């Protein structure tokens, strides 16, 4: 009788574990978000900020899924640094302030199509 109870408990634990894993994978797009970093001509240490944010997101669980958006507020030499960082890191995107709403809408539509 004790063996039957232990076997049922083990089966129940395995079923719950698979259900939790399936639920996390299914809700990948629902937990994501954006980390906005404003870029102006007087922004100091942009590269250091982006690298620290990138590595912080890199060690999060895969279903967390935030993206880093560098928002360009004015035309300056910092835009070249932000474009280079966009090419170096996959979750970093460089967007002008006038195109920010359109960029987020496009990303949300892509997430819902998956």
């Amino acid at each position: 009788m004790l063996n039957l109870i232990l076997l049922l408990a083990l089966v129940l634990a395995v079923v719950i574990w698979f259900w939790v894993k399936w639920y996390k994978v299914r809700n990948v797009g629902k937990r994501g978000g954006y980390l906005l970093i404003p870029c102006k001509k007087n922004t100091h240490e942009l590269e250091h900020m982006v690298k620290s944010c990138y590595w912080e997101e890199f060690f999060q669980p895969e279903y967390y899924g935030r993206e880093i958006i560098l928002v360009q507020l004015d035309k300056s030499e910092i835009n070249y640094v932000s474009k280079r960082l966009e090419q170096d890191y996959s979750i970093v995107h460089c967007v002008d302030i006038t195109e920010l709403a359109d960029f987020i809408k496009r990303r949300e539509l892509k997430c819902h199509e998956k």
Side-chain angles (χ1 to χ4, degrees):
M1 185 67 177
L2 183 61
N3 289 339
L4 180 65
I5 293 173
L6 289 176
L7 181 64
L8 288 176
L10 181 65
V11 169
L12 183 64
V14 169
V15 168
I16 289 173
W17 182 73
F18 276 115
W19 181 79
V20 167
K21 200 153 175 69
W22 172 80
Y23 183 77
K24 285 181 179 181
V25 169
R26 186 174 150 254
N27 292 321
V28 168
K30 296 179 183 174
R31 295 190 181 201
Y34 301 105
L35 181 62
L36 300 176
I37 300 176
C39 300
K40 295 172 64 173
K41 61 183 170 187
N42 58 357
T43 303
H44 301 290
E45 300 290 331
L46 177 67
E47 190 167 354
H48 179 69
M49 276 192 302
V50 170
K51 284 181 180 180
S52 64
C53 292
Y54 174 78
W55 287 110
E56 180 181 340
E57 295 302 319
F58 183 78
F59 287 109
Q60 294 292 336
E62 66 272 1
Y63 57 85
Y64 195 63
R66 288 197 312 181
E67 295 184 25
I68 301 169
I69 300 178
L70 303 175
V71 182
Q72 299 175 350
L73 301 176
D74 56 4
K75 302 292 182 196
S76 64
E77 65 275 352
I78 203 75
N79 293 350
Y80 298 113
V81 175
S82 60
K83 291 287 187 185
R84 183 177 52 80
L85 290 170
E86 180 182 26
Q87 293 174 353
D88 290 345
Y89 301 104
S90 60
I91 63 170
V92 176
H93 305 286
C94 183
V95 179
D96 191 56
I97 186 71
T98 58
E99 302 168 354
L100 182 61
D102 292 335
F103 177 80
I104 292 175
K105 285 179 186 175
R106 281 195 311 264
R107 299 297 288 184
E108 292 297 321
L109 287 175
K110 284 183 183 178
C111 287
H112 290 299
E113 288 177 0
K114 290 182 180 178

